[in-house]
């Protein structure tokens, strides 16, 4: 929570006329140099720094109730991030409506329970969210990794893949194995 608060302060200080939009006291945009400064300061890639800055902004500007729960220790960063990720594709008014359903329900819940509460709240507010989330994942986050196992054999793992094609590929790999 402290790290995210510091990042929001950096976003405020970085406001150098990049855009006219604001959410509260946070500008809607920040410079690429801020992203690179954060990456260097936290020893992470610029992509990871951008994602962290976006999470800080989201929890301060779009999901302030979740941000307050994080700051108060009711939620861990992982749980707050799970809520933010679950509501990623909602419009701002729908995010606010979903957040109102989530905030009173997450105290004392496990990570998986918080994920489910957030997903259910998102679908309650926007019934088409589940399908859009799946399509977005297939389009933007699909990946297959190949690694060597300690035994010397190989491991093949896929994530966010289209279900029908994945089932067909699984059957082909099983037949080959």
């Amino acid at each position: 929570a402290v790290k995210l608060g510091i990042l929001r302060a950096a976003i405020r200080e970085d406001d150098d006329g990049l855009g006219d939009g604001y959410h509260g006291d946070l500008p809607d945009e920040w410079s690429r140099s801020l992203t690179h400064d954060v990456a260097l300061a936290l020893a992470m890639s610029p992509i990871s720094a951008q994602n962290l800055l976006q999470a800080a902004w989201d929890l301060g500007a779009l999901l302030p109730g979740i941000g307050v729960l994080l700051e108060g220790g009711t939620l861990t960063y992982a749980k707050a991030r799970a809520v933010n990720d679950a509501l990623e594709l909602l419009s701002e008014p729908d995010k606010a409506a979903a957040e109102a359903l989530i905030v009173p329900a997450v105290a004392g819940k496990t990570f998986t329970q918080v994920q489910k509460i957030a997903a259910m709240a998102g679908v309650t507010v926007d019934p088409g969210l589940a399908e859009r989330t799946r399509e977005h994942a297939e389009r933007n986050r699909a990946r297959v990794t190949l690694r060597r196992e300690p035994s010397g054999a190989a491991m093949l793992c896929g994530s966010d893949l289209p279900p029908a094609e994945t089932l067909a590929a699984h059957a082909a790999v099983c037949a080959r194995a």
Side-chain angles (χ1 to χ4, degrees):
V2 171
K3 184 190 297 185
L4 297 181
I6 291 169
L7 292 174
R8 281 191 292 273
I11 290 170
R12 281 184 208 98
E13 290 176 14
D14 188 57
D15 181 24
D16 57 0
L18 291 174
D20 296 330
Y22 278 82
H23 282 78
D25 63 342
L26 287 170
D28 289 343
E29 298 180 48
W30 52 90
S31 67
R32 288 185 53 196
S33 64
L34 175 62
T35 301
H36 288 277
D37 290 345
V38 168
L40 288 172
L42 297 178
M44 60 177 44
S45 71
I47 292 171
S48 295
Q50 176 64 28
N51 291 339
L52 190 59
L53 282 161
Q54 189 65 53
W57 188 88
D58 288 347
L59 293 172
L62 301 179
L63 299 170
I66 300 300
V68 167
L69 293 178
L70 175 62
E71 290 171 13
T74 301
L75 289 179
T76 62
Y77 173 71
K79 292 175 187 177
R81 184 69 187 253
V83 171
N84 189 36
D85 291 347
L87 306 181
E88 174 185 17
L89 299 178
L90 289 177
S91 66
E92 287 184 36
D94 286 347
K95 279 185 185 187
E99 183 185 40
L101 297 172
I102 296 166
V103 168
V106 294
K109 301 293 193 240
T110 66
F111 176 83
T112 303
Q113 289 170 327
V114 170
Q115 274 185 316
K116 288 179 181 177
I117 290 167
M120 288 174 33
V123 171
T124 299
V125 170
D126 180 357
L129 179 64
E131 183 177 348
R132 283 198 324 276
T133 299
R134 180 187 54 77
E135 290 169 352
H136 177 75
E138 290 173 4
R139 198 172 41 253
N140 299 305
R141 292 194 295 257
R143 63 197 176 283
V144 176
T145 58
L146 174 67
R147 290 192 294 207
R148 181 180 178 272
E149 292 282 6
S151 67
M155 178 192 69
L156 184 64
C157 179
S159 300
D160 290 321
L161 303 172
E165 291 90 340
T166 303
L167 289 169
H170 178 260
V173 169
C174 286
R176 173 97 183 195

